[in-house]
Amino acid sequence: MADSKLKVAILVISDTASRHPSTDKAANALAETFAADGGDRWNDPTSVIVPDNVLEIQRQILSWTDTEDYFNLVITTGGTGFAVKDNTPEAVSPLIHRHAPGLVHGMLAASLAVTPFAMMSRPVAGTRGRSLIITLPGSPKGAKENLQAVIKLLPHACIQAAGADSRAIHAGGVQKLEKEADISHSPGATAEDKPLQHDHHHHHHHHDHGYGHVVPKPHTSPSDRPQSNDPNAGPTRRYRESPYPMLSVEDALKVIAEQTPDPIIIEAPVDISLVGSVIAEDVYAAEAVPAYRASIVDGYAVIASLPTADKPGSTKGKFPVASVSHAQAMSMPPPLKPGEIARITTGAPLPENANAVVMVEDTVLISTTPDGSEEAVVEILTGAIKPGENVREAGSDVSLGSKILQKGDLVTAVGGEIGLLASTGTRTVKVFKKPHIGVLSTGDELVKHDDPSPLHGGQIRDSNRPSLLSCLTAWGFPAVDLGIAKDTPAGHLEQSLRDALRGTPSTPGVDIIITTGGVSMGELDLLKPTIERQLGGTIHFGRVSMKPGKPTTFATVPFKPAVSSTDPTAQPERETRLIFSLPGNPASALVTLNLFVLPSLNKATGLGVSSGTQQGSVHQPRLGLPLVTATLTQAIPLDPKRTEYHRAIVMASKDGVLLASSTGLGGPGAGAGQRSSRVGSLAGANALLVLEPGKGVVEKGTRVQALLMGTVVPE
Ligand code: AMP
Ligand code: MG
């Protein structure tokens, strides 16, 4: 019965065989072993050859294990020795969810009976999802001997690994296979077999032999690839300690900076939407400002010459008023003839030949036109007007072709940059595209903050979404509200994340997702597994040595935009999207938003591109919060291990000294203090004091570093 058979795949790992497949003998030797000793339980093996390359090994194995159509058994051969290029165990270990040291032990024991060189083999074995993975040595003989040592057990192990969802194996076949897999007569197999079937008989005296026991423990060491909990495995199998390495804040910021993609350049119209954008290409003035010689005052345009010893200056005297030049003039006034003057208003163009303007205050009216409506003759009372006086030369504010803004300049809301662009007739500029950001809350307990019904049970109001959205908007990054993702049913979180990345016909997908909640150690903490397992993302860190904010998680996910409807032949580029999964506790969420998300947003917007290397400090003042030094007004206890980001108010004293006070200290009778969940400790706080770990307290009067989130207030 073909479909009652188990599926096996063989991965030959060898540089040589990958170049010359005909040199491979191991795949055949193993296929023969399955046929001869496999008790007719195995399909014909599928086999593939890859070089000794960790990524290629992992990619191939994952294509067999992480799919609906998974293989029950994946056997590798080769790369388990001590040679430099042998890295099969290094490739396979991180993929394993549950290690099976019993199988390793069995294989080694069998080979040791043949040769002491078995000690030079570094096999690993274990399950990933519903598949069993076993690494065998590369020599056909060794591989065969190892396989023979365990082959009787393998159907049983594979069926157990396939678990409740073993429908892939034909129902009738399962029983048959289980019966046939009863290998209790097979030498050496008894010890392993029993606990596999009778876990509960073993409770009191196990010493973590790792046989069939399901001891929930992290199977990865920090150097391994991080691997999230498998949510399907249930609470009994989740890790009891986070398998993610703990990064310092400094290292976490470095990773974020490395992973934040360089911004792309777009052409944008010069209007209010430009505020907050960073200029991507130097901008040169296409027009001079002013475009013509203009008067600075209301008065009379004159032809002036410098006074000399014998002449008092050409402007003193009575002059006919030849023309009028208004600032709103549509055309230039006629040229001025020697001996004439022209009335002129502030900002109006000077007539040709005129070279100075006399203020109206320095003149008197002598006569009018016969109808009295216009000035005929005006007397200028001073001869001291110099050429150029009260005139803005063409281009004197901005000369034609001069650089008005440069790459890296921020277009501020103050208006100066937009004014400059507008005055020179610049209609579009190259800027860095601002990232699209989305904010998502996670958790079954959450209720919309403005839901009118009273809370019941374990419900809490979703305070993180409105608080993060307002903080982002204040930074100039208006974000999309992605709502609340439920922990159950499974898949809701994944769907929310996918929808956000993809966008809708009317809103573009987001480049950066900020989530809160779901990153602690509970079985409903689904962010990490969903990112790794469902979205194929990479978790760059899952813990940071800080308080609050320890579970802060940062990941990238690959995203392939849909093929454009206007140009179906264009292959969209694979993009990298960022996910910041911040802790659910409201104070932790806001602190980590300030500390980790802001620098990434600033980098993604193009801030700091022209400044070359980042300025020295860890906190990269240009990209993160500004760092100042302030004097403590009270003693604050230190955390022995983690750097604390202590919520505080920084005030300027009358004599200009910055003072810092805590917005809440814990301790008996002092209320909840700085506890992560206490969002009150952030109300009013304008700074985070950076308190390095230590014993005891940091004394009143000590100068400490403070990251400013808001403006300094008077004492
Ligand atoms: P979690 O990481 O999901 O276990 O959340 C940690 C804590 O933060 C729990 O007490 C949650 O109820 C709380 N929390 C999670 N999300 C939010 C939110 N959006 N607003 C307020 N509190 C939250
Ligand atoms: Mg939660």
Side-chain angles (χ1 to χ4, degrees):
M1 231 171 139
D3 61 356
S4 71
K5 290 196 180 183
L6 296 159
K7 288 173 68 185
V8 55
I10 298 173
L11 183 62
V12 178
I13 299 167
S14 157
D15 283 343
T16 320
S18 72
R19 260 174 281 138
H20 311 288
S22 62
T23 60
D24 169 52
K25 304 277 180 282
N28 261 343
L30 292 173
E32 281 163 14
T33 308
F34 277 107
D37 306 323
D40 201 25
R41 289 163 194 152
W42 303 95
N43 270 338
D44 251 4
T46 298
S47 73
V48 167
I49 305 177
V50 294
D52 291 283
N53 175 296
V54 170
L55 284 179
E56 292 197 39
I57 296 169
Q58 292 182 333
R59 211 173 292 136
Q60 187 55 54
I61 293 178
L62 291 178
S63 80
W64 284 329
T65 57
D66 289 27
T67 153
E68 282 292 298
D69 210 17
Y70 65 95
F71 281 75
N72 298 94
L73 178 63
V74 174
I75 294 282
T76 72
T77 165
T80 57
F82 280 76
V84 176
K85 67 178 178 59
D86 289 333
N87 50 30
T88 300
E90 286 64 41
V92 175
S93 278
L95 303 184
I96 287 183
H97 294 154
R98 295 187 293 152
H99 280 270
L103 289 176
V104 171
H105 192 84
M107 292 192 293
L108 284 177
S111 317
L112 274 170
V114 180
T115 166
F117 278 101
M119 280 186 268
M120 302 286 286
S121 180
R122 307 181 295 126
V124 293
T127 61
R128 176 176 178 88
R130 292 169 232 157
S131 308
L132 177 63
I133 309 174
I134 297 179
T135 66
L136 303 178
S139 84
K141 182 169 174 290
K144 190 175 160 186
E145 282 164 10
N146 274 265
L147 179 58
Q148 279 169 333
V150 295
I151 195 164
K152 292 276 180 326
L153 270 157
L154 294 182
H156 188 111
C158 287
I159 289 162
Q160 294 230 324
D165 196 17
S166 55
R167 261 172 297 152
I169 305 162
H170 190 271
V174 174
Q175 274 165 15
K176 181 166 156 264
L177 285 165
E178 285 209 74
K179 199 160 149 264
E180 285 172 8
D182 182 0
I183 31 68
S184 56
H185 303 298
S186 150
T190 331
E192 283 85 353
D193 192 40
K194 258 197 163 161
L196 275 170
Q197 290 185 322
H198 307 291
D199 266 4
H200 49 284
H201 286 168
H202 252 255
H203 37 300
H204 288 309
H205 37 75
H206 61 69
H207 297 285
D208 191 13
H209 299 301
Y211 292 147
H213 286 291
V214 185
V215 180
K217 66 168 190 174
H219 294 303
T220 42
S221 70
S223 56
D224 290 338
R225 178 169 170 273
Q227 180 60 65
S228 47
N229 276 312
D230 178 356
N232 297 327
T236 52
R237 289 187 182 173
R238 85 195 132 116
Y239 299 141
R240 302 215 159 262
E241 193 186 305
S242 174
Y244 292 87
M246 176 100 90
L247 292 198
S248 65
V249 170
E250 182 179 348
D251 287 343
L253 285 169
K254 266 192 215 135
V255 171
I256 292 171
E258 279 162 20
Q259 296 298 329
T260 303
D262 286 330
I264 61 167
I265 297 174
I266 54 166
E267 182 132 11
V270 174
D271 58 30
I272 191 162
S273 66
L274 210 55
V275 170
S277 295
V278 173
I279 301 290
E281 232 174 50
D282 295 353
V283 185
Y284 297 92
E287 291 171 4
V289 183
Y292 48 82
R293 292 188 309 151
S295 175
I296 293 174
V297 295
D298 291 325
Y300 298 88
V302 298
I303 302 171
S305 57
L306 285 173
T308 53
D310 50 319
K311 267 181 78 195
S314 57
T315 55
K316 196 171 162 64
K318 295 177 181 156
F319 298 90
V321 179
S323 65
V324 180
S325 177
H326 286 300
Q328 69 272 33
M330 294 294 291
S331 59
M332 293 295 283
L336 200 59
K337 298 194 193 80
E340 291 178 353
I341 60 173
R343 197 164 83 242
I344 192 165
T345 58
T346 303
L350 260 67
E352 209 180 302
N353 302 327
N355 63 359
V357 179
V358 180
M359 291 165 75
V360 68
E361 290 86 341
D362 287 334
T363 64
V364 288
L365 178 63
I366 300 299
S367 64
T368 63
T369 51
D371 64 1
S373 68
E374 255 305 344
E375 300 171 334
V377 175
V378 162
E379 179 173 3
I380 296 174
L381 304 174
T382 171
I385 303 296
K386 295 183 215 73
E389 194 162 328
N390 296 330
V391 175
R392 273 159 75 217
E393 287 300 328
S396 60
D397 291 353
V398 180
S399 64
L400 184 67
S402 64
K403 192 195 281 185
I404 51 173
L405 288 175
Q406 65 181 17
K407 181 176 173 186
D409 284 350
L410 175 68
V411 179
T412 66
V414 175
E417 296 79 17
I418 292 207
L420 195 51
L421 292 168
S423 71
T424 51
T426 317
R427 287 188 304 279
T428 62
V429 277
K430 298 265 173 64
V431 292
F432 294 115
K433 182 174 161 277
K434 282 198 211 171
H436 290 289
I437 304 161
V439 175
L440 179 73
S441 290
T442 71
D444 281 347
E445 75 278 31
L446 298 182
V447 174
K448 281 193 187 143
H449 74 279
D450 52 2
D451 190 319
S453 12
L455 299 181
H456 47 81
Q459 290 185 324
I460 56 163
R461 297 211 181 261
D462 176 8
S463 62
N464 287 345
R465 219 162 17 116
S467 114
L468 265 57
L469 284 169
S470 64
C471 183
L472 290 163
T473 307
W475 286 337
F477 297 107
V480 187
D481 183 343
L482 300 175
I484 299 173
K486 296 278 174 207
D487 297 330
T488 49
H492 189 245
L493 174 63
E494 177 190 352
Q495 203 50 49
S496 303
L497 294 172
R498 281 194 196 282
D499 290 348
L501 294 171
R502 200 182 304 118
T504 65
S506 56
T507 46
V510 300
D511 305 303
I512 300 178
I513 302 182
I514 303 168
T515 68
T516 60
V519 285
S520 321
M521 294 294 292
E523 73 265 26
L524 284 182
D525 287 328
L526 299 174
L527 248 308
K528 289 181 176 100
T530 303
I531 292 170
E532 281 193 321
R533 291 161 191 260
Q534 264 78 46
L535 302 181
T538 306
I539 295 197
H540 296 283
F541 57 82
R543 284 194 301 166
V544 185
S545 176
M546 64 184 293
K547 182 182 160 184
K550 187 166 119 182
T552 303
T553 297
F554 171 67
T556 50
V557 289
F559 180 80
K560 197 158 177 205
V563 174
S564 142
S565 53
T566 50
D567 180 7
T569 56
Q571 270 300 313
E573 290 241 351
R574 235 178 145 67
E575 295 171 8
T576 298
R577 307 283 173 92
L578 308 183
I579 302 184
F580 288 90
S581 291
L582 309 181
N585 281 316
S588 316
L590 267 179
V591 167
T592 51
L593 182 79
N594 273 271
L595 216 57
F596 296 114
V597 182
L598 179 63
S600 175
L601 298 185
N602 281 340
K603 185 182 175 212
T605 336
L607 260 190
V609 283
S610 64
S611 57
T613 55
Q614 295 305 320
Q615 294 164 17
S617 158
V618 173
H619 297 290
Q620 304 180 339
R622 270 218 57 162
L623 293 181
L625 299 172
L627 190 64
V628 298
T629 303
T631 305
L632 286 185
T633 61
Q634 77 225 102
I636 299 182
L638 292 174
D639 187 275
K641 288 212 191 82
R642 291 179 283 157
T643 304
E644 185 181 350
Y645 290 82
H646 192 102
R647 283 83 83 196
I649 303 180
V650 168
M651 296 158 292
S653 74
K654 280 177 249 26
D655 38 1
V657 178
L658 293 182
L659 303 172
S661 309
S662 170
T663 53
L665 282 173
Q674 295 263 323
R675 206 165 60 199
S676 313
S677 57
R678 227 198 121 223
V679 75
S681 64
L682 260 163
N686 62 357
L688 298 172
L689 306 181
V690 186
L691 305 177
E692 299 298 341
K695 285 207 198 85
V697 299
V698 52
E699 297 294 348
K700 172 178 174 175
T702 312
R703 281 157 61 82
V704 295
Q705 300 220 290
L707 290 161
L708 289 182
M709 299 184 290
T711 46
V712 174
V713 295
E715 188 183 3

